[in-house]
């Protein structure tokens, strides 16, 4: 762990030095003023796992990926839910944190801190960038902007920006399937979900303390129906197969429910806080339960993978993908296709085709609401 932390620390240090050296510009030079809130959203900053990052922002991902899927999304980060939402906001694609070249222009356009195998809980995880690590990176960026542009200008900028958080999937994968933490889940699964939710709640509070006001918290998708989980559960006895998937989905639902409850509490407790919860689970269950209505033909098999359900080995080459990913719910072992992400983005943005997956308001309403 010390070597991995050292690698991250060195890369972060180099990035900060480049930024400080080449980022000496004023707010006036950037065309910014204290009236940054004239636009519904000035930028979008993303933190999360493979739901926000295809692996480009994960150091040595191609060498150390553990889920045997080199391509957890089809194409690029631009096909993922948060980037699709950013496009609807009229914002550019958020640049991966480790792709920054020290330009303040790029940082003001939005940054993707996400890492393809990121977890909420770092101990026992083989992920490089946990929730807390990504938060530290985000706080460092905000502090650098304050040094360059002044606190008042940056405070207004941050307040009108959207911060998108999507974590938990990798924690459940690690907990149920890899079990690298060595913790049995039979007696402590309820405590496990509560720990995850507490960490996410703390993250929201910490962002708020840094003047972040508009926050989107995405729930975890129905992992019990993901191709790799179906394959794992199928190896159990016939009588336990359904119970295997149901148990995982039950815990995911518990996590989502508790997270949404905490989002409501935070919004009521903290003045100016505008936090919404987007129920990815509910939406995907609708797509799988009524596939023809959404042009979907296959709700079980991965579009890109090998073996039964396309889940014995993940997407190691995009050339092995199915001919039409839009007819599938799942792209690889655990991740949805671009077509499903597009449906999710449309629903999260405007409530169509699915209403109320984001609560208490959709993302479009979040942008138009005043802080």
């Amino acid at each position: 762990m010390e070597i991995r932390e050292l690698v991250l620390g060195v890369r972060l240090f180099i990035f900060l030095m480049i930024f400080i050296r080449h980022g000496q510009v004023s707010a006036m030079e950037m065309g910014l003023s204290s009236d940054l809130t004239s636009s519904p959203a000035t930028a979008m900053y993303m933190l999360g796992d493979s739901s926000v990052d295809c692996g480009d922002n994960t150091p040595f991902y191609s060498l150390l990926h553990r889920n045997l899927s080199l391509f957890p999304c089809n194409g690029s980060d631009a096909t993922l839910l948060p980037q699709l939402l950013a496009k609807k906001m009229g914002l550019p694609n958020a640049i991966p944190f480790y792709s920054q070249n020290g330009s303040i222009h790029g940082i003001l356009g939005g940054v993707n801190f996400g890492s393809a195998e990121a977890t909420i809980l770092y101990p026992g995880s083989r992920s490089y960038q946990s929730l807390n690590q990504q938060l530290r990176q985000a706080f460092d960026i905000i502090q650098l902007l304050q040094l360059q542009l002044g606190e008042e200008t940056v405070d207004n900028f941050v307040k009108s920006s959207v911060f998108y958080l999507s974590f938990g999937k990798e924690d459940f994968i690690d907990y149920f399937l890899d079990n690298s933490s060595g913790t049995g889940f039979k007696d402590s699964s309820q405590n496990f979900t509560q720990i995850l939710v507490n960490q996410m709640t703390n993250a929201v509070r910490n962002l708020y303390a840094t003047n972040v006001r508009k926050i989107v918290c995405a729930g975890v998708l129905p992992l019990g129906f993901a191709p790799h989980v179906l394959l794992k559960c199928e190896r159990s006895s016939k009588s336990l197969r359904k119970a295997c998937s149901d148990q995982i989905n039950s815990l995911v639902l518990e996590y989502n429910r508790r997270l949404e409850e905490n989002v409501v509490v935070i919004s009521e407790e903290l003045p100016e806080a505008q936090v919404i919860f987007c129920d990815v689970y509910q939406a995907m269950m609708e797509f799988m339960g009524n596939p023809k209505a959404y042009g979907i033909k296959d709700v079980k098999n991965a579009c890109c993978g090998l073996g039964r359900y396309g889940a014995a080995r993940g997407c190691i080459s995009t050339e092995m993908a199915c001919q039409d990913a839009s007819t599938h719910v799942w792209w690889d072992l655990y991740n949805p296709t671009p077509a499903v992400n597009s449906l999710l983005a449309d629903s999260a943005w405007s409530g169509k085709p699915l209403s109320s997956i984001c609560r208490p308001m959709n993302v479009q309403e979040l942008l138009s609401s005043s802080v």
Side-chain angles (χ1 to χ4, degrees), residues 317-336:
S317 170
T318 53
E319 295 178 354
M320 62 190 284
C322 61
Q323 290 186 350
D324 188 1
S326 67
T327 62
H328 287 245
V329 167
W330 302 98
W331 164 254
D332 71 342
L333 305 181
Y334 306 109
N335 298 290

Side-chain angles (χ1 to χ4, degrees), residues 9-24:
V10 170
R11 295 190 66 168
L12 179 58
F13 175 77
I14 293 174
F15 166 75
L16 296 181
M17 292 302 100
I18 293 174
F19 181 91
I20 291 172
R21 182 176 180 180
H22 297 288
Q24 301 292 329

Side-chain angles (χ1 to χ4, degrees), residues 176-177 222-234 236 239-253 281 309:
F176 283 104
L177 302 180
L223 275 176
F225 296 131
H228 194 62
V229 175
L230 290 179
L231 182 64
K232 287 277 190 177
C233 290
E234 197 171 73
S236 305
S239 61
L240 294 178
R241 289 176 188 174
K242 185 176 185 301
C244 174
S245 292
D246 287 348
Q247 184 177 23
I248 295 175
N249 281 338
S250 176
L251 263 294
V252 170
L253 275 172
Y281 187 107
Y309 303 123

Side-chain angles (χ1 to χ4, degrees), residues 95-149:
I95 301 174
F97 177 76
Y98 286 117
S99 296
Q100 294 292 323
N101 60 4
S103 166
I104 193 172
H105 296 263
I107 291 174
L108 289 171
V111 178
N112 186 354
F113 301 97
S115 178
E117 294 190 0
T119 53
I120 297 173
L121 303 178
Y122 186 71
S125 169
R126 286 168 285 183
S127 170
Y128 274 155
Q129 290 158 268
S130 66
L131 167 62
N132 285 334
Q133 288 169 323
Q134 291 182 38
L135 284 173
R136 286 198 295 270
Q137 292 170 353
F139 297 153
D140 286 341
I141 289 296
I142 292 174
Q143 289 178 345
L144 283 171
L145 290 176
Q146 290 173 338
L147 288 173
Q148 299 298 313
L149 306 176

Side-chain angles (χ1 to χ4, degrees), residues 157-226:
F157 173 80
V158 170
K159 284 182 178 179
S160 60
S161 296
V162 175
F163 279 69
Y164 183 98
L165 281 70
S166 181
F167 288 90
K169 176 164 63 70
E170 294 293 336
D171 291 270
F172 282 105
I173 292 171
D174 185 61
Y175 193 56
F176 283 104
L177 302 180
D178 292 346
N179 200 26
S180 63
S181 64
T183 304
F185 60 82
K186 292 183 179 180
D187 298 325
S188 59
S189 54
Q190 298 295 325
N191 291 335
F192 177 68
T193 60
Q194 188 62 60
I195 292 171
L196 296 181
V197 169
N198 288 344
Q199 291 298 312
M200 287 292 290
T201 304
N202 289 338
V204 172
R205 292 185 183 279
N206 288 333
L207 285 169
Y208 182 88
T210 320
N211 286 313
V212 175
R213 295 295 181 263
K214 298 178 183 289
I215 302 173
V216 178
C217 290
V220 176
L221 46 70
L223 275 176
F225 296 131

Side-chain angles (χ1 to χ4, degrees), residues 256-276:
N256 288 342
R257 180 186 65 78
R258 290 181 171 182
L259 180 59
E260 182 175 10
E261 289 176 352
N262 282 26
V263 163
V264 172
V265 171
I266 288 175
S267 296
E268 293 175 349
E269 284 184 356
L270 302 178
E272 297 186 347
Q274 297 176 326
V275 190
I276 66 174

